[in-house]
């Protein structure tokens, strides 16, 4: 019963963060699965992709109903990430677990740093979006796909600033569009891992995913009640502590 409660609680927190911030919540799924629920790093990254895909798709729907998703832009960005996501997911199954844990800790630390940093200013609503540079968009999309496939995270903490700075989206549209990118990349990485025979503990994954999906529905409402910077910095502090814990574990 305690395992079920932990799975439900962790899933709810991750869903809330993902729905509110458009990313970042999924980067906690892997450490939660490892340290709270006893998964190996390899099993945790695969299970995380299942959780991230379901939760991101739910959050995508909530943002799409508000008109915050730029479908063509997101599809272009996501398409560039599919081949790297497939390749990185295959590579991850062959990497020693301490190396995988250390790489994840470094990525979590980067996510925390990005959230502590001041968000990029959104273009004025009256301005025209900047022209998209295909090479830069493809490079950013490919990098995001690699991270998703290798570490089992959605990468929204990188997708949102990239969509703002590279593709010129306003922050609200970047959050919604990032969820499309996360969903596509996570599906591609999950497909690449279907033949790895990693054991999946559905008794834990199912309630974890269900709680995350329900939490994603409330994420947008949470964002409306708490200022964005305060929400980001609180989450970043938790994420930084998790990164330090994982790095210490990997070194020992």
């Amino acid at each position: 019963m305690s395992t079920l409660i932990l799975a439900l609680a962790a899933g709810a927190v991750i869903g809330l963060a993902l729905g509110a911030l458009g990313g970042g919540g999924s980067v906690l799924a892997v450490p939660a699965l490892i340290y709270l629920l006893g998964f190996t790093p390899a099993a945790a990254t695969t299970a995380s992709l299942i959780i991230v895909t379901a939760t991101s798709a739910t959050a995508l729907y909530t943002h799409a109903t508000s008109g915050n998703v730029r479908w063509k832009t997101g599809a272009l960005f996501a398409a560039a990430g599919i081949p790297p996501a497939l390749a990185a997911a295959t590579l991850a199954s062959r990497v020693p677990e301490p190396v995988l844990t250390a790489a994840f800790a470094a990525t979590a630390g980067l996510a925390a740093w990005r959230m502590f940093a001041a968000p990029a200013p959104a273009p004025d609503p009256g301005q025209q979006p900047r022209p998209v540079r295909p090479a830069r968009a493809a490079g950013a999309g490919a990098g995001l796909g690699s991270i998703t496939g290798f570490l089992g995270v959605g990468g929204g903490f990188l997708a949102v600033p990239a969509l703002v700075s590279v593709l010129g989206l306003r922050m609200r549209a970047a959050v919604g569009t990032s969820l499309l990118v996360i969903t596509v990349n996570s599906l591609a990485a999950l497909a690449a891992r279907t033949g790895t025979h990693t054991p999946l503990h559905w008794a834990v994954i199912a309630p974890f995913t269900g709680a995350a999906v329900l939490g994603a529905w409330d994420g947008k409402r949470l964002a409306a009640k708490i200022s964005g910077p305060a929400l980001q910095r609180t989450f970043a502090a938790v994420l930084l502590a998790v990164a330090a814990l994982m790095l210490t574990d990997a070194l020992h």
Side-chain angles (χ1 to χ4, degrees):
M1 180 61 70
S2 60
T3 299
L4 176 61
I5 292 172
L6 285 173
L8 291 171
V13 170
I14 288 163
L16 281 170
L18 189 62
L21 301 175
S26 59
V27 80
L28 277 182
V30 171
L33 289 165
I34 293 173
Y35 296 108
L36 295 180
L37 300 167
F39 281 52
T40 66
T45 53
T46 300
S48 174
L49 287 170
I50 297 171
I51 296 162
V52 169
T53 300
T55 309
S56 298
T58 302
L60 173 62
Y61 174 79
T62 65
H63 282 267
T65 56
S66 300
N68 294 333
V69 181
R70 303 296 179 262
W71 295 98
K72 291 182 179 179
T73 300
L76 170 68
F77 197 88
I82 292 175
L86 291 169
T90 302
L91 176 64
S93 64
R94 303 173 184 174
V95 173
E97 291 189 350
V99 175
L100 194 62
T101 302
F104 194 96
T107 303
L110 174 62
W113 176 79
R114 292 304 299 259
M115 289 183 178
F116 273 126
D124 184 83
Q127 294 179 344
Q128 294 295 323
R130 294 190 301 275
V132 175
R133 297 182 180 179
R136 291 183 64 189
L144 184 65
S146 299
I147 292 173
T148 299
F150 190 69
L151 298 177
V153 301
F157 64 93
L158 294 174
V160 172
L163 287 166
V164 171
S165 61
V166 177
L167 302 184
L169 297 186
R170 293 193 292 271
M171 187 59 67
R172 186 172 298 177
V175 169
T177 305
S178 76
L179 291 165
L180 172 61
V181 177
I182 293 168
T183 302
V184 172
N185 284 346
S186 298
L187 275 173
L190 187 59
R193 292 184 182 223
T194 54
T196 60
H197 305 294
T198 302
L200 296 176
H201 305 290
W202 288 105
V204 175
I205 295 172
F208 196 119
T209 304
V213 167
L214 291 175
W217 283 98
D218 294 325
K220 271 185 65 182
R221 286 193 286 270
L222 177 66
K225 296 178 181 178
I226 303 176
S227 71
L231 190 63
Q232 282 192 350
R233 286 168 187 154
T234 300
F235 188 83
V238 175
L239 195 55
L240 193 60
V242 169
L245 172 64
M246 295 189 75
L247 186 58
T248 302
D249 183 48
L251 293 175
H252 291 82

